[in-house]
Amino acid sequence: MDDIARHVGLSRTTVSFVINGRTDVQISDKSRQRVWDAVKELGYRPNAGAQSLASKRTNLIGLITDITASPFGGGIIHGAQKAAWELGKLLLIVSSEGDSAMESAALEMLLGRRIEGVIFATQSHRLITLPDSASEVPTVLVHCFDQARAFPSVLPDEISGGYIGTRRLIEAGHRRVALINLDPGLPATVGRQIGYERALAEAGIPVDPRLIATGHATATGGFQCTAALLELEQAPTAIFCGTDRMAMGAYDAIKERGLRIPQDIGVVGYDNQEIIASFLRPPLTTVALPFDQMGAAAIGMLAALASGATGEQLILSGPLIERASA
Amino acid sequence: MDDIARHVGLSRTTVSFVINGRTDVQISDKSRQRVWDAVKELGYRPNAGAQSLASKRTNLIGLITDITASPFGGGIIHGAQKAAWELGKLLLIVSSEGDSAMESAALEMLLGRRIEGVIFATQSHRLITLPDSASEVPTVLVHCFDQARAFPSVLPDEISGGYIGTRRLIEAGHRRVALINLDPGLPATVGRQIGYERALAEAGIPVDPRLIATGHATATGGFQCTAALLELEQAPTAIFCGTDRMAMGAYDAIKERGLRIPQDIGVVGYDNQEIIASFLRPPLTTVALPFDQMGAAAIGMLAALASGATGEQLILSGPLIERASA
DNA sequence: TTGTAAGCGTTATCAT
DNA sequence: ATGATAACGCTTACAA
């Protein structure tokens, strides 16, 4: 920067003003132009670290997550990254492997880098315990929540998801709609069932407990539940699966019985895992989680927190992705 | 840091030495202890940015990639992250969306942060064009290469992959092994076919061109190719698919004809996409890409470059993941 | 074994 | 409209 200043015969101060495009200082257009020319000519590139040190703004945001290892929920990173970029912030992503000692260590090092905020994101909707140092910096939780629900968080609307999936099946003419839910007690499980029952109630269909199964979130889980449901005396004509993986298993069980999708049995999945949903035959209609928006929203909340806003809880609902199974 | 120094009645210098654990300076154990105690007590945390500014080492490595958006190849990030962490380096990950203007902008900003090296990683094995500024900093390419092959790179061993997949099928007793390859001309396509032919040659099986198909890397592509292959007069008894997605389609075509896997037809996939491979029925035996190692190797190469090594080209081969389809 | 002092590359506060 | 000068929080010769 000194070089630039010397080169154009101005002071460092002036150069700094020009480069930062400050409008509150009067600098002649001629000087401005000369500075920029020199910048080009000398190939000058401001040192962000030095800027941070002097200005006390690092423009760094931490993202601690267990997502990088898995194919799941990458949209969160994606959405956050994009939103951060637009705000001129850089995301420092650290994968915690879901290990809380690691999370703690990661946060320490990020605090050493003087991040202005931190996001904790998980690949499944669940409870986490935060490192103590989380209270030292604005914190937002994505797809997870802390015991005391003390931190602002961005969560998917499980109820709405359960509702729209079920309603889609009802609209297709089904009255006996089964729900293959995830393991009991999970936030997703609870919420989706509420949505499911709400949709049935709205259509005047009584809830039949025999049509509600729970299983592991795997193809095998889906296969077994579906097989059992199809054995029922009054078997369902539609099945709403808790995950696309389960739907994958459901397809097998259905095809094995020579039934066709969606003519004989309608199927709706959950998660919109492209890789499964769009390559299943027929392509799977499924409820998507709004991962991108969740990530972006987290950045937005952090920005809001920085300007004095108070932390809320944001519930985002995802759309139904129509393909061909319902 | 001044606070610490004052608190223990020593100079900043001494405190700095203690904190950096410098062994080339003699400092009494007593002083050391007192410094650490004060650090704890005052909750002091070194400012990494200031350290970088003074020491001219940022410990920052850039990773520009199109991977974050997709479920694919996340292992690269994972492996790189882990390796970097162990070296005390922080990975600055930016997703380029595969857009080269974006890549350029990302690199500019990373250079502003004074990264000590940069990694370009892609989700598919392909050619990329690097921003000009790439020459300003040590650069390593992962899963991709530049026109002039001027930059050191880490690539998967496509030949070995083609070889081990084919050999597995031959070892299972098959003599008519089909290859459903990816679109012609891709590095993966070419390499794998070489490996395929090598395995056949080794077993004394002549290459039958009718058994070599190419299609799009989708379930539909796999389905169509498989269907055509099974119509052949001398149909194959084993199929080696270019991707797990294609294998997914192959499964459908095979099952549709009432054939069983692996009893009637052996299938091997490529990619080891957990989500597909382990949930297909039967679980898919497939060739894995060594993404984790590739990411870690890239960090290793960057470290080597920093200590004066010259850039090579590293070819890493992945293992065959045995499940139940062959 | 410890301390002094000069940077590192910026921004920010005042002057002029 | 522009410039001096003092931070920012640390490292590192060089001295003592």
Side-chain angles (χ1 to χ4, degrees):
Chain A
M1 190 157 186
D2 251 338
D3 293 346
I4 304 273
R6 221 167 304 141
H7 193 262
V8 299
L10 290 170
S11 71
R12 277 207 318 279
T13 310
T14 307
V15 173
S16 171
F17 286 162
V18 171
I19 285 175
N20 293 6
R22 286 184 54 164
T23 51
D24 54 334
V25 228
Q26 304 292 321
I27 293 177
S28 66
D29 284 357
K30 194 178 150 225
S31 293
R32 294 201 121 91
Q33 194 51 54
R34 280 168 58 212
V35 168
W36 283 121
D37 288 349
V39 165
K40 289 267 140 60
E41 193 183 334
L42 304 187
Y44 168 75
R45 191 180 282 127
N47 181 322
Q51 288 179 315
S52 299
L53 187 55
S55 68
K56 311 197 138 254
R57 314 207 68 252
T58 59
N59 289 317
L60 256 24
I61 292 178
L63 173 53
I64 299 178
T65 179
D66 58 1
I67 289 171
T68 58
S70 95
F72 218 129
I76 292 179
I77 296 183
H78 201 237
Q81 177 101 59
K82 245 186 104 180
W85 181 270
E86 275 155 18
L87 262 55
K89 314 261 177 212
L90 216 204
L91 221 49
L92 263 31
I93 305 167
V94 183
S95 66
S96 65
E97 326 257 333
D99 168 37
S100 81
M102 185 74 188
E103 272 168 18
S104 205
L107 182 55
E108 275 318 305
M109 94 103 67
L110 291 177
L111 288 173
R113 296 277 173 182
R114 297 302 186 265
I115 49 170
E116 296 173 346
V118 65
I119 297 173
F120 284 86
T122 52
Q123 49 171 317
S124 64
H125 189 164
R126 58 173 239 255
L127 173 74
I128 63 170
T129 56
L130 291 166
D132 292 341
S133 345
S135 51
E136 292 180 33
V137 65
T139 301
V140 169
L141 272 32
V142 177
H143 213 188
C144 53
F145 48 91
D146 62 305
Q147 188 74 54
R149 311 224 170 209
F151 291 90
S153 61
V154 182
L155 298 170
D157 190 339
E158 308 285 5
I159 297 180
S160 134
Y163 174 79
I164 61 175
T166 309
R167 203 185 50 186
R168 176 67 185 78
L169 260 2
I170 294 172
E171 280 170 355
H174 299 284
R175 306 274 308 169
R176 290 195 66 72
V177 180
L179 172 67
I180 302 184
N181 218 336
L182 305 176
D183 289 321
L186 300 177
T189 310
V190 175
R192 291 174 196 180
Q193 181 157 344
I194 294 175
Y196 164 83
E197 292 180 356
R198 184 173 298 173
L200 290 183
E202 219 179 78
I205 305 174
V207 172
D208 180 344
R210 287 165 304 179
L211 293 186
I212 301 182
T214 73
H216 292 303
T218 62
T220 310
F223 180 87
Q224 291 166 345
C225 289
T226 303
L229 285 166
L230 294 180
E231 290 303 324
L232 248 38
E233 210 164 308
Q234 297 193 32
T237 63
I239 300 181
F240 185 13
C241 299
T243 69
D244 289 351
R245 285 183 180 185
M246 292 174 115
M248 214 169 151
Y251 266 48
D252 272 337
I254 291 168
K255 290 180 180 175
E256 216 169 60
R257 272 165 191 69
L259 299 172
R260 294 158 310 160
I261 302 169
Q263 297 89 335
D264 302 320
I265 303 253
V267 177
V268 167
Y270 210 113
D271 285 348
N272 191 33
Q273 295 228 46
E274 277 290 331
I275 217 170
I276 295 181
S278 56
F279 294 101
L280 233 30
R281 298 166 45 86
L284 181 66
T285 292
T286 183
V287 179
L289 275 81
F291 285 129
D292 263 79
Q293 291 98 301
M294 286 166 68
I299 296 291
M301 283 180 77
L302 236 27
L305 287 176
S307 33
T310 168
E312 340 119 60
Q313 183 138 331
L314 194 60
I315 310 274
L316 260 28
S317 50
L320 181 76
I321 308 296
E322 295 274 5
R323 289 201 182 82
S325 66
Chain B
M1 191 158 184
D2 252 339
D3 293 347
I4 304 271
R6 220 167 304 141
H7 194 263
V8 299
L10 290 170
S11 72
R12 279 207 316 281
T13 308
T14 308
V15 173
S16 171
F17 286 164
V18 171
I19 285 175
N20 293 7
R22 287 184 53 162
T23 50
D24 54 335
V25 227
Q26 305 291 322
I27 293 177
S28 67
D29 284 356
K30 194 175 150 230
S31 292
R32 292 202 124 88
Q33 194 52 54
R34 280 168 58 211
V35 168
W36 283 120
D37 289 349
V39 165
K40 288 266 140 59
E41 193 182 333
L42 304 186
Y44 169 74
R45 190 181 283 126
N47 181 322
Q51 286 179 316
S52 299
L53 188 56
S55 67
K56 312 199 137 249
R57 313 206 69 254
T58 58
N59 289 317
L60 255 24
I61 292 178
L63 174 53
I64 298 179
T65 178
D66 58 4
I67 289 170
T68 58
S70 95
F72 217 130
I76 292 180
I77 296 183
H78 202 237
Q81 176 102 59
K82 243 186 105 180
W85 180 269
E86 275 155 19
L87 262 56
K89 313 262 177 212
L90 215 202
L91 221 49
L92 262 30
I93 305 167
V94 183
S95 65
S96 65
E97 325 259 335
D99 167 36
S100 81
M102 183 76 188
E103 271 169 19
S104 203
L107 182 54
E108 277 314 308
M109 96 103 65
L110 292 177
L111 288 173
R113 297 276 173 184
R114 297 300 186 267
I115 49 172
E116 297 173 343
V118 66
I119 297 172
F120 285 85
T122 52
Q123 48 172 318
S124 65
H125 188 163
R126 57 173 242 254
L127 171 75
I128 62 170
T129 56
L130 291 167
D132 292 341
S133 347
S135 51
E136 293 180 32
V137 64
T139 301
V140 169
L141 272 31
V142 178
H143 212 188
C144 52
F145 50 90
D146 62 305
Q147 188 74 56
R149 311 226 171 209
F151 292 90
S153 61
V154 182
L155 298 171
D157 191 339
E158 308 286 4
I159 297 180
S160 136
Y163 175 80
I164 61 176
T166 308
R167 202 185 53 186
R168 176 67 184 79
L169 259 3
I170 295 172
E171 279 170 355
H174 299 283
R175 306 277 303 170
R176 290 195 65 71
V177 180
L179 171 66
I180 302 184
N181 217 337
L182 305 176
D183 288 322
L186 298 177
T189 309
V190 176
R192 291 174 195 179
Q193 181 159 344
I194 294 175
Y196 163 82
E197 293 179 355
R198 183 174 297 172
L200 290 183
E202 218 181 81
I205 304 174
V207 173
D208 180 346
R210 288 164 304 180
L211 292 186
I212 301 182
T214 71
H216 292 304
T218 62
T220 309
F223 180 86
Q224 290 167 342
C225 290
T226 304
L229 285 166
L230 295 180
E231 290 304 323
L232 247 38
E233 211 163 304
Q234 295 193 38
T237 63
I239 300 181
F240 184 14
C241 298
T243 69
D244 288 352
R245 285 184 180 186
M246 291 175 115
M248 214 170 152
Y251 267 48
D252 273 337
I254 292 168
K255 289 180 179 175
E256 216 170 61
R257 270 166 191 69
L259 299 172
R260 294 158 310 161
I261 303 168
Q263 298 88 335
D264 303 319
I265 304 254
V267 178
V268 167
Y270 210 112
D271 286 347
N272 191 31
Q273 294 228 46
E274 277 290 330
I275 217 172
I276 294 182
S278 58
F279 294 101
L280 233 29
R281 295 165 49 84
L284 181 67
T285 292
T286 182
V287 179
L289 275 80
F291 285 129
D292 263 79
Q293 291 98 300
M294 286 166 67
I299 296 290
M301 283 180 77
L302 236 26
L305 287 177
S307 33
T310 169
E312 340 119 61
Q313 183 138 331
L314 195 61
I315 309 275
L316 260 28
S317 51
L320 182 77
I321 308 296
E322 296 273 5
R323 290 202 180 83
S325 65

